[in-house]
């Protein structure tokens, strides 16, 4: 694009540059320190990394749209858990068992529908009450998690269906099922955000809600649609993950909302809305997974990993602010 | 006065922004105990000058003196510490805090271990409130006060530092006459204590009532200082607008069609009452009045952003109910809003997307927005309105004000409206683009659009309108044809002087 200036280029490609730096760092440090006898940069390791980034990645892609639209959804982790329970539990229902493998698409349908309905609840409340999405989804995060515990108490919900496991563990052209879903969702959402009316309006609403209303855009339905979409994606993420694992704990999916937001922000999407990109979020997701995996590779424990990710996030936002400064004219705060 | 040292002196201030010379060698001084008016049209550079003085903008060159000492203003806090305080038109108070906490915000008295000395705070505040002669005490929650009293709190804030100069920026914009008297008393009191006052206002009546000297800015340049007692409104106005009062009227006349929009007895609570007017196809109807007279609110009601409490809106003699901008657009009514940046444009989006925003629904090919259809519309209106941009991908926030406004106008024209309402068409737009926008408005009327122009600038209203509706305090005072309107009767109508005569 001819009119993008240098700053924009830097910002857009920053996340991919960061990924390259990470790869180089972990490959070299891993070898020099020889803490691990495996090579970090092996194809299998990278394919696994993509697969592992899918669950949060799919949610983060949905979160990108929500945030571009000027909202936020904190309830996705709870939605994720509830959809997982619906998936696994529905497979044990007598009439479903009678269906044999035909129960699988039905169970998927139930789980996905659960996500859509929960999302619609969020969207409807945000639309009709005008309460800030942060508050609404904070409440529904607690509420949905409550439903999760009501379902089965503290007990895990388990059901292993081998057809499902085979499907989830399959590799096509080298990529795992989960990776294909991640890429597929990214492609579809990219098309939605860049090519459709809904995407265009979502950007406009997030950037300047008043101007969007003045242009005759119905803000509420767009909110609603996006919340349904992220609910669907949270459920999709659960469906893919639990098809393989077959057992869901009532605490599963906790903090997923924050990991998703972290990935989105790392990818450059603005918390205030109106600016962001699906592709950059994909980069953010991969960057975070690389960090977790890479730090593990060179021998760091989980606590250290979280500390490092936190520091990097602050560093990134600080850099972003420096890039965005208008110069000396800007008001000093 | 000549032997005295000014309390505040600005010398040769130059400030440029990309593409604009906002201040060009401006000098200005205030004597102790003097009320010095600073006047100029919107965009003449008053606010930029005050921002330089307040340390918000650094001047490119020039020097500020407090007394005889040169100072470099780096922040509003520092300006205040050197004795220069601002009473802004927009109040900046914390509603939830008490009067005392607001007045001493940022400098609460302490008594060890970081604890607030509440006793001293309230005693000090009450002392200040006493000099202001107000009827509320220091414990009152600021959000519960009237606007006038909130302004007193703001003034009280200025008095915590023993100010040498106080700058009032349009202080009476939202005050009633009785409240103004109180304000003027406070100003007189400050004056008697030797404080220099800079008084920024558009209201001639006030200027001649309380000021000693008047300095005028035009197009960022200093145009001279007049002694209030020795001048009159005509001379000041002439200095402000740079020509004789005889302003160029709209003289182009063309065929007008039938009435496109009519409003009968429209009211909206306390905002405006019983408003009647109509506008024909091919006609430009101007709305003139002071800020807060209710003009914008009428436009917002017609556009479906406010619900009227009474009255009818008729399009082509048919009553219509408009409850949202979507309804308004469906009925062929478009609004170019008062504040382009916050209401009219999605600044982070490109030119094309902004222009097609209201109709992007109709520009699809299959599930996707059709690039070609959008670009065709953008090209058409870029040529028609002569929008200067490197291309449709240009982010709107990077365009000049004039081109931004043309994008907004193009956005609505491409919807093929019947009625186009333009609120403050040239606010924040440089002089060259202004006349372009004015010609554009005349052209649109000639093409058969019914156009309503709301403006606070008299030359603008006179220049573009076929008829002018003068409003004061929520009421239509008078309607003028372009032949009968004069500067005098228009001023009178909008300042309420003619109220008794008409009513």
């Amino acid at each position: 694009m001819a009119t993008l200036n240098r700053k924009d280029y830097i910002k857009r490609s920053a996340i991919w540059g960061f990924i390259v730096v990470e790869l180089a760092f972990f490959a070299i440090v891993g070898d020099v320190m020889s803490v691990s006898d495996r090579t970090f940069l092996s194809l299998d390791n990278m394919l696994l990394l993509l697969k592992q980034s899918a669950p949060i990645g799919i949610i983060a892609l949905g979160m990108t749209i929500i945030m571009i639209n000027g909202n936020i959804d904190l309830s996705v982790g709870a939605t994720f858990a509830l959809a997982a329970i619906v998936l696994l539990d529905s497979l044990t229902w007598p009439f479903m068992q009678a269906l044999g493998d035909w129960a699988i698409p039905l169970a998927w349908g139930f789980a996905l529908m659960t996500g859509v309905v929960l999302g619609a609840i969020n969207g409807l409340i945000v639309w009709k009450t005008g309460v800030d999405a942060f508050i609404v989804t904070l409440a529904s995060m607690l509420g949905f998690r409550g439903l999760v515990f009501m379902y089965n108490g503290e007990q895990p919900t388990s059901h292993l269906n081998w057809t499902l496991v085979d499907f989830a563990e399959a590799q096509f052209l080298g990529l795992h099922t989960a990776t294909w879903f991640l890429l597929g969702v990214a492609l579809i959402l990219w098309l939605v955000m860049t090519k459709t009316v809904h995407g265009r309006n979502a950007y406009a609403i997030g950037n300047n809600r008043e101007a969007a209303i003045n242009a005759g855009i119905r803000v509420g339905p767009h909110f609603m649609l996006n919340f349904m979409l992220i609910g669907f994606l949270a459920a999709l993420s659960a469906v893919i993950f639990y098809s393989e694992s077959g057992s869901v704990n009532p605490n599963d999916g906790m903090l997923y909302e924050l990991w998703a937001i972290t990935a989105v922000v790392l990818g450059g999407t603005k918390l205030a809305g109106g600016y962001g990109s699906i592709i950059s979020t994909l980069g953010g997701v991969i960057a975070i997974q690389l960090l977790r995996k890479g730090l593990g590779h060179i021998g760091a424990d989980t606590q250290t990993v979280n500390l490092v990710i936190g520091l990097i996030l602050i560093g990134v936002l600080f850099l972003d602010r420096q890039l965005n400064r208008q110069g000396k004219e800007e008001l000093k705060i | 006065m000549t032997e005295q040292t000014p309390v505040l002196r600005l010398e040769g201030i130059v400030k440029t922004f990309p593409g604009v010379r906002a201040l060009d060698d401006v000098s200005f001084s205030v004597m102790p105990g003097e009320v010095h008016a600073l006047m100029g049209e919107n965009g003449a550079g008053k606010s930029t000058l005050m921002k330089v003085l307040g340390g918000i903008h650094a001047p490119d060159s020039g020097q500020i003196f407090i007394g005889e000492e040169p100072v470099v203003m780096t922040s509003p806090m520092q300006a205040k510490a050197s004795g220069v305080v601002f009473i802004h038109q927009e109040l900046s108070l914390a509603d939830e805090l008490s009067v005392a906490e607001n007045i001493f915000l940022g400098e609460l008295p302490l008594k060890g271990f970081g604890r607030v000395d509440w006793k001293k705070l309230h005693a000090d505040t009450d002392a200040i409130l006493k000099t202001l002669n107000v009827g509320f005490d220091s414990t009152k929650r600021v959000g519960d006060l009237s606007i006038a009293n909130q302004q007193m709190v703001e003034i009280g804030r200025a008095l915590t530092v023993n100010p040498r100069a106080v700058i009032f920026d349009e202080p009476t914009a939202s005050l009633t006459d009785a409240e103004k008297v109180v304000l003027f008393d406070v100003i007189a009191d400050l004056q008697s204590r030797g404080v220099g006052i800079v008084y920024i206002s558009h209201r001639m009546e006030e200027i001649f009532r309380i000021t000693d000297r008047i300095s005028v800015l035009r197009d960022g340049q200093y145009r001279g200082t007049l002694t209030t007692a020795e001048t009159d409104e005509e001379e000041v106005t002439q200095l402000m607008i740079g020509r004789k009062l005889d302003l160029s009227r709209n003289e182009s006349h063309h065929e007008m069609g039938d009435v496109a929009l009519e409003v009968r007895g429209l009211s909206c609570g306390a905002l405006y009452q019983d408003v009647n007017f109509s506008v024909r196809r091919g006609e430009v109807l101007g709305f003139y009045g002071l800020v807060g007279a209710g003009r914008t609110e009428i436009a917002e009601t017609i556009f479906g952003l406010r619900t009227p409490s009474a009255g009818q809106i008729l399009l082509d003699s048919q009553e219509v109910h408009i409850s949202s901008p979507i309804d308004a657009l469906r009925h062929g009514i478009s609004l170019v809003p008062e504040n382009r940046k916050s209401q009219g444009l999605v600044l982070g989006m490109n030119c094309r997307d902004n222009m097609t925003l209201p109709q992007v629904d109709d520009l699809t090919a299959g599930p996707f927005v059709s690039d070609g259809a959008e670009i065709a519309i953008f090209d058409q209106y870029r040529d028609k309105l002569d929008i200067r941009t490197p291309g449709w991908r240009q982010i709107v926030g990077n365009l000049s004000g004039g081109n931004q406004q043309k994008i907004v106008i193009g956005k609505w024209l491409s919807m093929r409206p019947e009625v186009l309402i333009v609120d403050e068409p040239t606010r924040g737009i440089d002089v060259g683009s202004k006349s372009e926008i004015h010609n554009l408005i005349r052209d649109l009327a000639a093409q058969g659009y019914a156009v309503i122009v709301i403006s606070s600038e008299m030359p603008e209203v006179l220049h573009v309108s076929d008829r002018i509706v003068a409003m004061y305090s929520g009421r239509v005072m008078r309607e003028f044809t372009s032949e009968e309107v004069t500067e005098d009767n228009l001023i009178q109508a909008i300042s309420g002087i003619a109220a008794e005569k008409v009513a």
Side-chain angles (χ1 to χ4, degrees), chain B residues 453-483:
Chain B
V453 171
I454 299 171
S455 177
S456 303
E457 292 181 43
M458 187 176 292
E460 178 163 282
V461 163
L462 292 174
H463 186 65
V464 301
S465 313
D466 294 302
R467 277 186 302 137
I468 297 171
V469 171
M471 288 198 67
Y472 171 73
S473 179
R475 288 184 180 278
V476 171
M477 301 314 292
R478 203 176 149 183
E479 205 178 292
F480 300 90
T481 65
S482 62
E483 289 83 19

Side-chain angles (χ1 to χ4, degrees), chain A residues 1-5 8 191-192 194-219 222 274-275 328-332, chain B residues 15 17-18 55-57 74-75 303 305 325-326 329-330 337 341-349 352-353 356-358 360-361 364 367-369 374 390 393-395 411-412:
Chain A
M1 290 198 202
T3 52
L4 280 181
N5 59 30
D8 289 329
L191 285 172
V192 167
T194 56
K195 305 279 179 201
T196 70
V197 173
H198 174 67
R200 175 77 57 83
N201 288 350
Y203 273 105
I205 293 166
N207 199 305
N208 189 344
R209 192 159 161 185
E210 200 176 349
I213 292 170
N214 282 338
I217 294 172
R218 292 175 199 273
V219 170
H222 286 293
Y275 182 90
K328 277 187 276 178
E329 243 93 69
E330 193 180 347
L331 212 64
K332 284 164 284 201
Chain B
K15 176 72 194 172
F17 294 113
I56 293 168
H57 291 322
T74 54
S75 71
F303 194 58
L305 290 165
I326 299 159
L329 293 172
R330 200 181 302 127
K341 289 184 177 171
S342 73
Q343 304 168 315
L345 291 167
V346 182
L347 287 178
M349 269 189 169
R352 181 199 70 180
D353 293 2
T356 56
L357 198 59
V360 69
D361 278 344
T364 51
F368 300 136
V369 177
E374 281 196 285
R393 289 190 177 89
Q394 179 69 32
I395 301 299
K411 172 168 82 174
W412 295 126

